[in-house]
Amino acid sequence: MSGQSLLAPGEITPVRSVPGNIRRPEYVGKPAPTPYTGPEVQDTDTVERMRIAGRIAAQAMEEAAKHIAPGVTTDQLDKVAHDFMVDHGAYPSTLGYRGFPKSLCTSLNEVICHGIPDSTVLRDGDIVNLDVTAYINGVHGDNNATYLCGDVDEESRLLVERTRESLNRAIKAVRPGRQINVIGRVIESYAKRFGYGVVRDFTGHGINTSFHSGLIIPHYDSPHATTVMQPGMTFTIEPMLTLGTHEYDLWEDGWTVVTKDRKRTAQFEHTLVVTETGAEILTLP
């Protein structure tokens, strides 16, 4: 594995502004969102609006990823994604969600998820996850991907490649009539072939007019995930695989989640809608 030194928190720049004409999610300015009480199955109008939100989120992530290079700060990546979403009339869903101060999450190397963009400088050999969610027309679209920065060691490259493949396999397992736990079963069985850890405490989730609806999508074979998938259900799948343990520590910022053994981790995510025959990816650029 790469001999990179471990990460430390950097300096966080002031909150970026969003034009007043762009609609905010209801949770902005509040300590927590209002609990979602609506259906997990969405009507065709909601799904169509989610396609728009998902496309903007995917394009914003792609645009930020173009700037990944040694010497670039994670805050610079945040600015690129923020400006793209705002320019397309969307609100960055993470900005102000439970007090999160930035417009995307940047999770490097041993960071599992929820890394805060700051003055941290990308180094040659880093792996970088960008997690971008856009809110427009009253709905959210959420995606993430892990990218290589410069010359990355083979162990890390394989981890990234196989984590992407675990998501692809999970999406293919989505079918109406199947229980949610088939998703985690597919991911876990694939990850075990390589000795990877599968993060258990951070999961996929229902998403629609709510950023997190309450529906949980585990990435391991959970006996409790017995909800049956139905056409029109919308949720994310976002496996987090590690080179070591699935256990984690939380930084003092209350957000940044790192592997307990500080080994590297990768993640990929799409927002999906269950169709009559499988799943449609809503976060395509």
Side-chain angles (χ1 to χ4, degrees):
M1 192 185 77
S2 169
Q4 296 275 33
S5 58
L6 297 179
L7 294 165
E11 295 295 321
I12 299 174
T13 58
V15 172
R16 303 190 195 283
S17 63
V18 178
N21 64 309
I22 293 179
R23 179 178 172 185
R24 272 78 168 146
E26 59 83 23
Y27 52 74
V28 174
K30 296 164 53 178
T34 302
Y36 178 72
T37 57
E40 298 297 347
V41 173
Q42 306 305 311
D43 60 29
T44 54
D45 173 68
T46 302
V47 172
E48 177 55 35
R49 286 183 284 133
M50 289 181 68
R51 284 191 189 96
I52 296 168
R55 183 167 62 247
I56 292 172
Q59 291 172 339
M61 184 175 73
E62 275 196 344
E63 193 62 32
K66 292 176 185 176
H67 296 261
I68 291 174
V72 173
T73 67
T74 55
D75 187 67
Q76 287 172 276
L77 301 178
D78 179 80
K79 184 179 188 306
V80 173
H82 176 95
D83 289 349
F84 186 96
M85 285 185 274
V86 166
D87 288 347
H88 287 77
Y91 186 92
S93 300
T94 60
L95 185 63
Y97 179 78
R98 297 184 182 271
F100 192 84
K102 290 294 174 179
S103 298
L104 82 165
C105 300
T106 49
S107 300
L108 279 59
N109 301 339
E110 70 268 22
V111 179
I112 295 172
C113 56
H114 303 159
I116 301 174
D118 59 18
S119 61
T120 296
V121 176
L122 301 183
R123 302 165 295 182
D124 186 59
D126 283 341
I127 59 174
V128 186
N129 180 272
L130 304 181
D131 192 338
V132 181
T133 310
Y135 177 80
I136 189 170
N137 298 326
V139 297
H140 301 268
D142 185 3
N143 68 165
N144 78 57
T146 302
Y147 299 90
L148 310 181
C149 181
D151 184 17
V152 175
D153 67 274
E154 183 179 16
E155 186 179 38
S156 298
R157 284 192 291 107
L158 285 173
L159 173 68
V160 171
E161 178 184 311
R162 290 164 176 168
T163 305
R164 182 192 292 112
E165 176 62 16
S166 76
L167 173 59
N168 292 338
R169 290 175 179 234
I171 291 171
K172 290 176 182 176
V174 173
R175 291 284 188 283
R178 289 181 175 177
Q179 292 182 343
I180 290 290
N181 57 16
V182 70
I183 294 168
R185 189 175 308 132
V186 166
I187 293 168
E188 188 172 39
S189 63
Y190 180 71
K192 279 185 173 179
R193 288 168 48 182
F194 311 104
Y196 295 154
V198 181
V199 172
R200 301 167 76 91
D201 292 278
F202 300 90
T203 68
H205 52 89
I207 182 170
N208 38 66
T209 57
S210 172
F211 194 172
H212 299 87
S213 72
L215 177 66
I216 301 299
I217 313 293
H219 302 123
Y220 64 99
D221 187 5
S222 168
H224 306 295
T226 56
T227 299
V228 174
M229 291 182 267
Q230 304 173 57
M233 286 181 72
T234 49
F235 53 80
T236 72
I237 304 176
E238 45 188 295
M240 293 152 262
L241 305 187
T242 72
L243 290 175
T245 182
H246 68 269
E247 296 180 342
Y248 68 93
D249 291 323
L250 185 65
W251 279 7
E252 288 186 5
D253 60 23
W255 283 105
T256 307
V257 180
V258 295
T259 54
K260 188 169 280 291
D261 56 13
R262 303 304 189 266
K263 291 185 178 181
R264 287 188 166 189
T265 175
Q267 182 184 18
F268 284 83
E269 173 187 24
H270 275 304
T271 296
L272 313 169
V273 60
V274 180
T275 67
E276 296 292 341
T277 57
E280 176 194 345
I281 299 172
L282 299 177
T283 38
L284 291 176

